[in-house]
Each structure stands twice: as structure tokens, then as C-alpha cells.
């Protein structure tokens, strides 16, 4: 499939994968997954807010493309990033007889997930002492984001999500910050063309950084943690219940000079 929605390709030690964003691409997901080599069963893991509007469509699209797809629904929110829930997911997968060659699918429907969390393979759970304290680098087969999913978000969720995209501008692309200033209203109204374009541009920055420093050992990927030292402290000290992630990062960026990033 030729893809005008391709934002970037991530290159990593084990190969490469496409990063794609467009408007309304969710219904093509099955075909796109076949294109990146997905075979056998797939397991969609998503939260209760995302399942009904998007999870079922993803399941249908996969099944139409010949991929048997099963769904596991988790509670929405940061508190689901726990040992207990990870264990419940492993049990469910074992009961389903999931195999190494099968595929797990999670659906990025927030801005932060689209431009940041879905790209680069960081997977982790939280401990009470700190966010993302136990995890791994595990690169996906592809990242596919449907910008139309943003149109069901409230203004607070939208604003927090744009924080991660603006962060990419602050650290590596000053012109992207100008684009945000110029199109602030259209972005908050989730204008289809501008939103998808800005998401692709922001994704491309993340993809480039990850391609250069996959495991955050070269002092490049750590740039992406701009604002996160204070942001994570705010989130964990309030038990992940008060600040949305992007809100913490926004406060963190105000309190931390851009030339002094810390850890995520
Ligand atoms: N969210 C920061 C990173 O992926 O490195």
C-alpha cells in the first residue's frame, strides 16, 4: 500500500518500522498490519474508554483482513500500569494460547500516545516510588495513528496531549513551535488536515531521535525527557490521580531549561 500518511520510518537494531498518521485510517488497520507482516492471531489490549468507539472497529478491520482478533479491556488511567494488571494480561494470553509469533495491539488514541509513547518501544509499569520504573525496550512492527480519534477527546485531554508534541518543537524543531502558535485554534478544534500534518511532523522528530539512539545511551534520546523530571515527580507524588501526564510535563517544561533534560 503506498502511503501518503507515512510520517517516518524508525530504524533500530532489529530492523525498521513505519510510523503512520492520517484521518480515518483505523478501518484500514487490518490491511496495514498484513503489509507489515502480521500473521496469526492478534490480541487487542485497550481501556474501557477506547474499546467501544475504536476497539471494536479495529477488531472488525483485523478480522476482515483474515487476522483473528481477541480483546482484553483494562480500566482507563495511569493506575492500570501495574504488576497486577500485567499479570492478569499474561494469564489471559496464556488461556488464549498466545504464541511468540502472535501480535499484541494497543491503539494510540491520545495525542501523547500518537506522537510519543507509541514510538520507540519503551514499555513499562509504575511502582509507588516512581513512574515507569520497571520496563524494557521492545520495538513494535508499526505505529498507526488515526487523528480522527482526537475529535472525541475533551479540551483538557487535548491540551495535555499537545504538550508532548510541542515538546518536540522545543527540543528540536523551532518552526514546529511557530506552527503551533499559528494554528492553536484549529488544533484545539481538531481540524483534520492540520492535526494530521502536525502529528506526522511531531512523530517524525521522535522517530529520528529513536533511530539515532534506540536505547537512550548516546545522550540523544534523553532530550525527549524534557520536562519529565518535574512532571513525573508531580504525577507520582499525587499518586497518578491529579495531573494528566501532559499537564505534569507542561509544568515541568516551565521549570526546567530546555538545555538540561533529565530522565523519563
Ligand atoms: N517518552 C520518551 C521516550 O520515548 O524516550
Amino acid at each position: 500500500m503506498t502511503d501518503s500518511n507515512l510520517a517516518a520510518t524508525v530504524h533500530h537494531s532489529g530492523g525498521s518500522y513505519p510510523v503512520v498518521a492520517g484521518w480515518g485510517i483505523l478501518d484500514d488497520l487490518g490491511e496495514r498490519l498484513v503489509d507489515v507482516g502480521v500473521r496469526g492471531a492478534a490480541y487487542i489490549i485497550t481501556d474501557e474508554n477506547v474499546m467501544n468507539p475504536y476497539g471494536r472497529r479495529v477488531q472488525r478491520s483485523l478480522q476482515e483482513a483474515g487476522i483473528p482478533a481477541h480483546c482484553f479491556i483494562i480500566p482507563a488511567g495511569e493506575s492500570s500500569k501495574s504488576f497486577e494488571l500485567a499479570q492478569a494480561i499474561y494469564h489471559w494470553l496464556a488461556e488464549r494460547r498466545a504464541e511468540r509469533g502472535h501480535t499484541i495491539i494497543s491503539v494510540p488514541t491520545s495525542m501523547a500516545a500518537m506522537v510519543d509513547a507509541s514510538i520507540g518501544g519503551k514499555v513499562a509499569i509504575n511502582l509507588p516510588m516512581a513512574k515507569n520504573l520497571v520496563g524494557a525496550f521492545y520495538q513494535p512492527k508499526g505505529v498507526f495513528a488515526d487523528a480522527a480519534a482526537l475529535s472525541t477527546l475533551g479540551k483538557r485531554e487535548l491540551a495535555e496531549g499537545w504538550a508532548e508534541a510541542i515538546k518536540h518543537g522545543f527540543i528540536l524543531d523551532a518552526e514546529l513551535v511557530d506552527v503551533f502558535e499559528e494554528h492553536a485554534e484549529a488544533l484545539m478544534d481538531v481540524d483534520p488536515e492540520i492535526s494530521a500534518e502536525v502529528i506526522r511532523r511531531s512523530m517524525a522528530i521522535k522517530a529520528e531521535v529513536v533511530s539515532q539512539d534506540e536505547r537512550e545511551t548516546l545522550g540523544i534520546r534523553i532530550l525527549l525527557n524534557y520536562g519529565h523530571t518535574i512532571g513525573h515527580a508531580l504525577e507520582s507524588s499525587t499518586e497518578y490521580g491529579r495531573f494528566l501526564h501532559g499537564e505534569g510535563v507542561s509544568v515541568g517544561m516551565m521549570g526546567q531549561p530546555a538545555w538540561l533534560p533529565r530522565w523519563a
Side-chain angles (χ1 to χ4, degrees), residues 69-85:
H70 312 278
C71 299
F72 188 86
I73 305 172
I74 62 174
E78 192 68 25
S79 57
S80 284
K81 288 172 63 178
S82 66
F83 268 123
E84 293 72 23
L85 203 73

Side-chain angles (χ1 to χ4, degrees), residues 116-117 119-120 122 164 167 206 210 216 221 224-225 228 264:
D116 186 31
I119 306 166
K122 276 189 183 174
E164 293 281 8
K167 179 197 76 181
K206 170 92 189 230
V210 170
E216 206 168 295
R221 185 163 179 170
L224 297 169
N225 302 340
H228 284 61

Side-chain angles (χ1 to χ4, degrees), residues 166 170 174-187:
I166 294 172
F170 283 147
E175 280 174 22
L176 183 59
V177 179
D178 296 339
V179 174
F180 273 107
E181 280 182 342
E182 196 182 330
H183 298 293
E185 243 173 75
L187 290 170

Side-chain angles (χ1 to χ4, degrees), residues 18 48 56 73 109 114 160 163 170 178 191 205 209 230 250:
E48 57 209 1
R56 293 286 170 217
I73 305 172
T109 55
M114 292 181 191
E160 73 106 12
F170 283 147
D178 296 339
D191 173 90
I205 294 172
V209 169
I230 295 170
S250 301

